[in-house]
Amino acid sequence: MRYIDLDTLLAKREAWGASDELWKNPVLKRDFSTYFHNKCWYTEVDLTGSDVDIDHFRPKAAIKQYENYHYNSMLEHGYVWLKNDVHNYRASCIYANRPRGEGGKREWFPLKNDSPLLTPNGCEVALPLLLD
């Protein structure tokens, strides 16, 4: 498992503005791509000459359950409170992020079995099974 310390990247936060769709900001995309050494966070493929998607690591709009696993079924509308949280963003190639046949991350976000989503005081403690 790899850990990404976003503190250096987040020091540039003021340059990205305060849009309701912050992940679409071209300066943010460039900064994330540079910080991730111009590689997709999921596949580590070189993004030179390719569009960079800013993926919501925890899906912002919906959660798709995989087969009979109901690890985060109580979040039918996704992690909406994280839609503009830059800690939830990852630089991604379009193939890893967008639906492609049976591939692409899409709205899947598997958690470890019996992983709680939130503590009683509202802090997130979910244990994702994806890289992070």
Side-chain angles (χ1 to χ4, degrees):
M1 181 181 339
R2 127 178 96 145
Y3 173 74
I4 296 173
D5 182 3
L6 295 176
D7 288 340
T8 304
L9 176 62
L10 296 180
K12 300 178 180 194
R13 173 68 176 89
E14 286 185 25
W16 305 331
S19 166
D20 282 345
E21 295 183 330
L22 184 58
W23 62 93
K24 295 180 179 180
N25 181 298
V27 176
L28 178 140
K29 285 185 173 191
R30 184 199 66 223
D31 288 348
F32 266 72
S33 179
T34 300
Y35 182 78
F36 282 75
H37 305 287
N38 206 39
K39 292 184 177 184
C40 172
W41 182 78
Y42 297 105
T43 65
E44 293 192 1
V45 83
D46 187 358
L47 297 172
T48 302
S50 174
D51 290 332
V52 175
D53 273 357
I54 297 299
D55 177 48
H56 290 81
F57 180 61
R58 290 167 176 82
K60 69 183 179 308
I63 298 288
K64 185 174 184 180
Q65 299 302 318
Y66 180 71
E67 295 179 354
N68 291 322
Y69 298 93
H70 301 288
Y71 38 76
N72 45 21
S73 58
M74 66 284 296
L75 287 176
E76 67 183 77
H77 299 296
Y79 294 82
V80 293
W81 65 93
L82 297 177
K83 117 178 157 171
N84 273 326
D85 184 339
V86 295
H87 291 90
N88 191 40
Y89 295 170
R90 304 294 185 268
S92 172
C93 69
I94 62 174
Y95 297 102
N97 186 33
R98 299 179 190 178
R100 301 267 189 224
E102 292 297 314
K105 179 176 163 277
R106 304 176 188 208
E107 295 87 24
W108 283 307
F109 190 70
L111 299 175
K112 185 176 178 184
N113 284 341
D114 300 320
S115 176
L117 291 175
L118 303 171
T119 63
N121 65 357
C123 294
E124 187 175 352
V125 293
L127 301 171
L129 293 177
L130 293 172
L131 297 171
D132 202 21

